Amino acid sequence: MVNHIATDRRANLLGSLWMVASMALFAVEDALIKGAVQGIPMSQILVIFGAGGAVIFAALAKAQGLALFPAAARAPAVRVRVFFEVFGRLFYFLALALTPLSSATVILQATPLVVVGAAAVIFGERVGWRRWVAIGIGLAGVVVIIRPGGDGFSALSLLAVAGMLGFAGRDLASRAAPKELSTILLGLYGFLTVIAAGAMYSVYEQQPFVRLEGTSGLALGAAIVTGVFAYTALMKAMRTGEVSAVTPFRYSRLLFGVALGVLIFGERLDGATWLGCGLIVVSGLFILVRGRAVAR
């Protein structure tokens, strides 16, 4: 199903570089969205963010002479991808609005663990018992951060968990998407689903849209442009090299996201969050190292 994707050493290196660039841009996008939500309803942010990105990707597709909705766009993998995109975007945007940027970013770092484990089951990639243990330890780190049943537990932290699972499903579906669909078309479909997520959430939110002005309006506009570049880099990463080699570089988002949370929003991470973060990152790095050893 994914034989068209190169998986040699050069492809793994290139995919890793695309992933780091994507994570830096996504961290900036997160900070901009968190700033914009202070003056704009979340449903409006989703709709405008999705529409802005969709227009840009549609223009790029037309400039390259691509049909916006070819027959390959109706493939089962694309439909699955749409579902996970809506699910992931909606819940993660809510996490950005209602929880600290740093904690949402840390929880999101469990995405590679889910992707690597699922890639073994779905795509048949080799994942030995050591990496399965590492995946379990990393997911335990998520539990430490959330602290269910503890005094510091907040049900809102589950929003980031739901978003993380949605993004993992989206990334796997992107890898299984037909090779006829370019990165630009996948980006277009991704942003169209964000519009759908915003429309659905507006029914629940019940808040009228407001005029875009001031700092919030500028932040949303910048988030759209940043999101387009971040999305393009992510799709390049997920379609270059092996999943087990490329996805661990998602952890670079942790550095960017925590730094922005501390510097811009004055956030602080407590001991449990640092511990959980350490478990997730160490597990991810072990998976990366072990994956290379197995390849050799």
Side-chain angles (χ1 to χ4, degrees), residues 6-18:
T7 56
D8 55 31
R9 179 174 297 182
R10 182 179 181 277
N12 287 343
L13 175 60
L14 184 59
S16 300
L17 292 176
W18 277 117

Side-chain angles (χ1 to χ4, degrees), residues 42 46 78-96 107-108 111 114 156-171 173 189-201 231:
M42 177 54 67
L46 286 165
V78 177
R79 291 196 289 267
V80 171
R81 185 179 181 277
V82 166
F83 169 79
F84 281 112
E85 182 79 60
V86 171
F87 190 87
R89 282 284 186 177
L90 176 58
F91 283 100
Y92 188 66
F93 270 41
L94 289 173
L96 290 176
I107 291 174
L108 194 65
T111 303
V114 177
L156 294 176
S157 61
L158 297 177
L159 294 171
V161 175
M164 177 268 292
L165 293 175
F167 287 148
R170 176 199 65 187
D171 291 351
Y189 304 154
F191 277 95
L192 287 175
T193 59
V194 176
I195 300 175
M200 288 187 292
Y201 188 66
Y231 206 98

